[in-house]
Amino acid sequence: MNNIWGSMEQYDPVVWNWIIAVYLFMAGLSAGSMLVAIGLKWYKQSRGLPTEGLPVIKAAAVIGPVAICLGMALLVLDLTKPFEFYHILLNYNLTSVMAWGVIALLVYIPLVFVFAALVFEKQVLHFAPWLAGVLKVCRQLEGSLNKLIFALALGVGVYTGFLLSAMISYPILNTAVLPALFLASAMSVGSAGNILVATLFFSKKESDCIEQVHRIEYPVAFNEALCLVLLFVGLNFSGPAAQAATAAITTGAWASVFWIGVVGLGLVVPVLASTLAPKAWRHTKGFLITVSCSTILGVLALRHFVVYAGQSYIS
Amino acid sequence: MTKRYVLVHDENKCIGCQACNVACRSENNVPESVTRLQVRIEGPYGNFPHLHFKYNRVSCEQCENAPCVKVCPTGAAYVNDDGIVSINEGKCVGCLYCVAACPYKVRFINPETRVPDKCDFCKESRLARGEEPACVSVCPTDALTFGDANDLNSEVRKLLDTKQNYQQKVNLGTEPRVYRIPSRRGGIKA
Ligand code: SF4
Ligand code: SF4
């Protein structure tokens, strides 16, 4: 349309697009898979069980570094000045959530590589024997390193939510529930990703650790659903602009993404599958792969829904 | 901060002619596809035969508590000594966080510099020479008044002390420095 005052194109409220949604997904996946793997390790250790060579931990050692690096690559390519991204490493404005995220990631990323190197120590030493000394030191510090990685992974998961909630004029984004929602969904995509990679590449027999990862899926799914309910019920009580934003789940294309993707694939399918499916299926490869893919798609849909629907309603 | 530059837009006097918009474009070499300033003609409001339009100036509000400055990871978006929200092109990486965070949606990426751009009250050109911003000086109806609100004798101060005025989205706590004198005409939704 031609207005007397000119084009409205630059006023599109959707500024961050799918690239950011995929980045947020990747960061959540990496952080979630680390949280689940380290949590499982502690659980086993506290019961005096062996933790060496667990397929789920091997899977996390692959997902953790790969997902965060892919995510960072996307993020840098999405900058309008990708070749000058180093400025973000030199200047820190500490009122910015993004600056805190950069600090957390600067420590987190090298540490997940250390985690992976310790899990695949044999393979690493085969290709790079000169790392033996470094790995030995890391192995001695492993306990503290794991605690640090766990804390940083929590930070990364939560930060992706705060990144969006700091934008004060979007009612769906500007809520305290968002970081909690992102953390819960990071845990579910992390466990689903671990199960997927473990079944595809690392597990030789039906493995009991998959069972334990399954066990955390219920509370996580419950928390995720609770956060979603809180988010939209909260909006309903927060004034006219926020109320108008609840239309995000009733009308338009993003409502379908929400109900089919986020609720259907992300919550209903996995919960029904693990409650109703006959026992005989539950450890078949096909079943595990299908259910974890469903969860992963659900979380991917959640990130897209939040990024797009979140920015479409402005107060 | 010694200066507190504010802009007052009198919506009774404004006729939506876009002279300010055009003057801004030529003064600041704003590329064709983007714009720092629009006066949107919204409405009609009221009921027939008492219809009227609203003239809504859309440009950087120079927030005293600016969300764009708060979210910028590198400090490229910053507040100058004169209180004018500015952009340090060298530090900016183009993450668009500020563009997304601005509640007034007035930041845009300049296609030539690849850096966010917006109204800066013509601070480097006209203000530096002691002149008023281009939009203010060109307005045919004198709908715009610009000045330092810390100066008790300034025109803006007198205007704001004597006339009803409002700012947009005050509930967000941004403390915008663009003040508006509302249209006197009333109306209720049909
Ligand atoms: S109006 Fe937008 S760009 Fe201008 S100071 Fe406020 S937040 Fe920043
Ligand atoms: S786009 Fe530039 S000015 Fe805006 S927040 Fe990012 S680094 Fe700061």
Side-chain angles (χ1 to χ4, degrees):
Chain A
M1 198 177 83
N2 277 328
N3 301 302
I4 173 178
W5 56 86
S7 158
M8 292 288 283
E9 206 175 323
Q10 83 189 46
Y11 297 93
D12 184 352
V14 179
V15 175
W16 277 350
N17 56 16
W18 64 269
I19 297 185
I20 300 295
V22 176
Y23 159 69
L24 295 173
F25 168 81
M26 291 289 186
L29 174 61
S30 171
S33 83
M34 280 295 140
L35 290 172
V36 170
I38 295 176
L40 180 67
K41 207 166 181 170
W42 287 342
Y43 174 85
K44 292 238 155 192
Q45 279 167 350
S46 71
R47 278 171 177 62
L49 300 165
T51 59
E52 284 310 305
L54 287 179
V56 168
I57 293 180
K58 281 189 182 162
V62 174
I63 296 175
V66 171
I68 197 68
C69 287
L70 284 178
M72 293 312 286
L74 280 176
L75 194 64
V76 170
L77 287 177
D78 192 45
L79 299 175
T80 67
K81 302 202 296 181
F83 298 113
E84 293 179 37
F85 83 97
Y86 61 88
H87 287 292
I88 211 169
L89 304 174
L90 302 176
N91 304 298
Y92 293 89
N93 166 23
L94 294 183
T95 63
S96 168
V97 182
M98 195 185 284
W100 285 101
V102 172
I103 295 173
L105 288 169
L106 268 183
V107 189
Y108 174 80
I109 294 174
L111 287 186
V112 284
F113 275 95
V114 173
F115 180 92
L118 288 177
V119 170
F120 296 109
E121 195 175 6
K122 271 202 204 96
Q123 289 87 333
V124 171
L125 288 181
H126 181 75
F127 288 103
W130 44 273
L131 278 175
V134 184
L135 281 186
K136 210 170 158 199
V137 176
C138 293
R139 180 66 78 192
Q140 268 155 6
L141 296 173
E142 199 181 357
S144 333
L145 279 180
N146 281 344
K147 282 182 199 145
L148 190 57
I149 297 175
F150 193 84
L152 286 165
L154 275 179
V156 169
V158 170
Y159 131 82
T160 55
F162 275 118
L163 193 66
L164 297 177
S165 67
M167 305 202 281
I168 58 172
S169 56
Y170 299 112
I172 295 182
L173 302 180
N174 186 224
T175 79
V177 185
L178 201 65
L181 173 64
F182 271 35
L183 184 61
S185 70
M187 300 273 288
S188 62
V189 73
S191 49
N194 284 352
I195 291 177
L196 181 65
V197 173
T199 20
L200 283 178
F201 303 109
F202 298 117
S203 89
K204 293 187 186 70
K205 55 177 174 33
E206 75 177 36
S207 156
D208 65 336
C209 58
I210 287 179
E211 188 60 39
Q212 276 141 10
V213 174
H214 264 322
R215 225 179 283 163
I216 75 153
E217 271 181 340
Y218 292 111
V220 164
F222 175 76
N223 273 321
E224 203 182 322
L226 183 66
C227 288
L228 283 171
V229 172
L230 287 179
L231 179 65
F232 282 94
V233 172
L235 286 177
N236 230 339
F237 296 127
S238 313
Q243 247 167 34
T246 55
I249 52 170
T250 54
T251 48
W254 292 107
S256 331
V257 172
F258 180 81
W259 291 109
I260 299 171
V262 180
V263 177
L265 289 176
L267 295 169
V268 177
V269 171
V271 169
L272 286 187
S274 30
T275 44
L276 298 183
K279 270 241 158 59
W281 292 12
R282 290 198 195 166
H283 290 284
T284 59
K285 269 196 171 188
F287 180 83
L288 287 173
I289 292 172
T290 316
V291 176
S292 37
C293 283
S294 174
T295 308
I296 292 172
L297 286 176
V299 175
L300 194 57
L302 174 71
R303 296 295 192 270
H304 279 81
F305 171 79
V306 170
V307 166
Y308 281 93
Q311 288 179 93
S312 302
Y313 295 87
I314 183 163
S315 67
Chain B
M1 227 174 278
T2 47
K3 298 260 189 223
R4 190 173 162 206
Y5 286 122
V6 304
L7 182 74
V8 185
H9 180 223
D10 189 335
E11 293 172 357
N12 293 295
K13 290 183 177 170
C14 182
I15 53 171
C17 69
Q18 309 299 323
C20 51
N21 181 337
V22 175
C24 170
R25 185 172 291 284
S26 81
E27 174 68 44
N28 297 302
N29 297 318
V30 181
E32 175 121 39
S33 56
V34 287
T35 168
R36 285 187 178 190
L37 161 62
Q38 294 186 339
V39 176
R40 300 203 189 131
I41 302 168
E42 295 167 358
Y45 295 104
N47 293 300
F48 181 81
H50 307 291
L51 295 173
H52 63 93
F53 289 91
K54 177 179 161 61
Y55 301 103
N56 180 16
R57 180 186 165 107
V58 179
S59 66
C60 174
E61 306 261 338
Q62 305 294 351
C63 306
E64 289 188 44
N65 185 14
C68 59
V69 171
K70 232 187 259 171
V71 300
C72 174
T74 64
Y78 69 103
V79 184
N80 224 15
D81 292 337
D82 48 17
I84 295 177
V85 176
S86 308
I87 298 158
N88 179 339
E89 295 192 4
K91 276 188 179 177
C92 175
V93 293
C95 65
L96 302 184
Y97 205 4
C98 58
V99 179
C102 168
Y104 305 93
K105 295 284 124 207
V106 295
R107 287 186 160 244
F108 58 90
I109 293 295
N110 184 313
E112 280 154 20
T113 60
R114 313 295 299 146
V115 168
D117 198 340
K118 65 173 191 65
C119 160
D120 60 0
F121 286 160
C122 298
K123 67 164 190 172
E124 259 148 40
S125 49
R126 301 184 55 92
L127 218 52
R129 297 195 295 266
E131 294 165 347
E132 299 190 302
C135 55
V136 178
S137 66
V138 82
C139 177
T141 61
D142 277 337
L144 293 167
T145 314
F146 175 80
D148 178 8
N150 280 347
D151 172 0
L152 298 184
N153 297 315
S154 64
E155 218 182 315
V156 280
R157 188 71 188 234
K158 283 181 205 153
L159 207 54
L160 293 175
D161 279 345
T162 54
K163 293 238 168 137
Q164 280 245 23
N165 59 74
Y166 74 101
Q167 297 145 289
Q168 280 183 349
K169 303 192 183 186
V170 272
N171 59 319
L172 297 177
T174 52
E175 300 177 45
R177 269 182 278 221
V178 171
Y179 291 79
R180 298 144 197 274
I181 298 179
S183 162
R184 280 184 299 272
R185 284 153 293 218
I188 187 168
K189 256 191 201 158

